[in-house]
Amino acid sequence: MIVEFPLFGAGINYFPYEISVLRIFEPRYLLLIGDSIKNNQSFCVSKSLDNIGQIVSEVEILEHQDISNAEQVVVVQCMNLRKVKNIYLDDEYPKASCELIIDVGLPPTEDELIVLQEDIKRSMGKMLEQGLDIELPIFEIETENRIMKLWELTSKIPMTDETRTKLIEEVDIKKRYKLLNNYVQKIKEMKF
C-alpha cells in the first residue's frame, strides 16, 4: 500500500529502531515538525528530495524542544524503511508517496547475533585504543526478535555512508547479516 508522508531531506537514512537527533531551522521543516507534533504523525527522513526509488526512514518524534523561535531539536526513532514512489515539492514542505519495505529471508540465529555483538564490542574497543574519538556502545535492547536485534547491532558501529546505504537497501536479512559481519571483521583486522 502506498502512503503519503511529509519528507525531511536530511541527507541521511536511519536504521530501523535507531534513535537520532535532528536540528531543525529551515522554515519549511519547522512547519513539517509542527504539523507532525500537532497531528501525532510520523514523517520520512531522506538523503535527497529528488531521487524517486530511494529508501527513506519513517520516523516518529520521541521528544522535541524549542531552542529559539527559529530552531528546534527533535529526537526521532526510525520505525520503518520505505521506498519512494513519488515526491511532491509544491506544498509548504516536501511530501512523498512511499511503500513499506518488507524484509525477506531468515534472520541469523541467536548464537550468530551473540558472536556478532561480541565482535562489535571488540572492534569498538580496538578503535578506542587506537585513539579514535568514539563512544563504546551500550547494548540495551535484549529481545527475542532477531530481526530487531540485527538492526540494533547495525546501528551501534560507526560506518561510512556507502556501507550504511548498502545495509539499508538489502532486503534479504541473511545477506544483511553477512554484510554487517564482513564489515565488522574488516574493522577487527584494521590498523588505525
Side-chain angles (χ1 to χ4, degrees):
M1 177 167 72
I2 296 177
V3 179
E4 188 173 281
F5 291 93
L7 185 65
F8 184 95
I12 192 169
N13 289 111
Y14 301 118
F15 297 122
Y17 313 107
E18 184 175 11
I19 295 174
S20 190
V21 177
L22 295 170
R23 191 172 191 132
I24 316 296
F25 53 87
E26 283 188 52
R28 64 182 174 169
Y29 293 134
L30 287 167
L31 184 58
L32 182 157
I33 295 301
D35 285 352
S36 294
I37 293 167
K38 177 181 164 188
N39 299 321
N40 196 23
Q41 172 186 16
S42 61
F43 61 96
C44 288
V45 175
S46 68
K47 290 183 85 171
S48 74
L49 294 177
D50 58 3
N51 187 358
I52 293 175
Q54 70 180 305
I55 305 297
V56 296
S57 305
E58 179 188 353
V59 299
E60 67 179 348
I61 297 172
L62 300 178
E63 293 182 38
H64 60 90
Q65 180 180 3
D66 291 333
I67 294 181
S68 69
N69 287 339
E71 194 170 359
Q72 278 195 336
V73 172
V74 181
V75 178
V76 295
Q77 181 173 23
C78 180
M79 301 162 29
N80 294 302
L81 296 177
R82 295 190 174 267
K83 185 173 187 174
V84 173
K85 294 302 200 180
N86 211 338
I87 297 174
Y88 312 100
L89 301 174
D90 297 333
D91 287 338
E92 296 171 301
Y93 46 79
K95 295 181 181 169
S97 297
C98 306
E99 67 181 347
L100 185 64
I101 300 290
I102 309 274
D103 286 332
V104 297
L106 295 173
T109 66
E110 281 187 45
D111 289 341
E112 288 173 318
L113 289 171
I114 290 168
V115 169
L116 179 61
Q117 179 171 299
E118 291 308 311
D119 284 347
I120 289 173
K121 286 180 183 177
R122 280 192 280 284
S123 297
M124 298 289 286
K126 183 177 179 180
M127 290 177 178
L128 282 169
E129 287 173 5
Q130 297 296 321
L132 289 180
D133 187 20
I134 56 173
E135 289 185 31
L136 199 57
I138 298 170
F139 296 94
E140 298 171 347
I141 301 173
E142 292 301 327
T143 179
E144 293 186 21
N145 182 333
R146 291 177 287 153
I147 297 169
M148 184 175 162
K149 182 66 175 178
L150 181 59
W151 280 123
E152 178 210 353
L153 292 173
T154 304
S155 71
K156 296 297 183 184
I157 191 157
M159 62 185 67
T160 65
D161 192 44
E162 179 183 339
T163 302
R164 180 178 270 275
T165 299
K166 282 181 189 175
L167 287 163
I168 285 173
E169 291 179 349
E170 182 55 67
V171 295
D172 184 305
I173 301 164
K174 196 68 171 177
K175 288 180 181 176
R176 185 184 309 132
Y177 164 75
K178 286 180 181 176
L179 279 169
L180 180 60
N181 192 42
N182 289 340
Y183 178 72
V184 171
Q185 298 311 315
K186 283 181 188 174
I187 289 176
K188 282 174 54 179
E189 296 168 6
M190 288 176 75
K191 294 188 180 187
F192 299 94

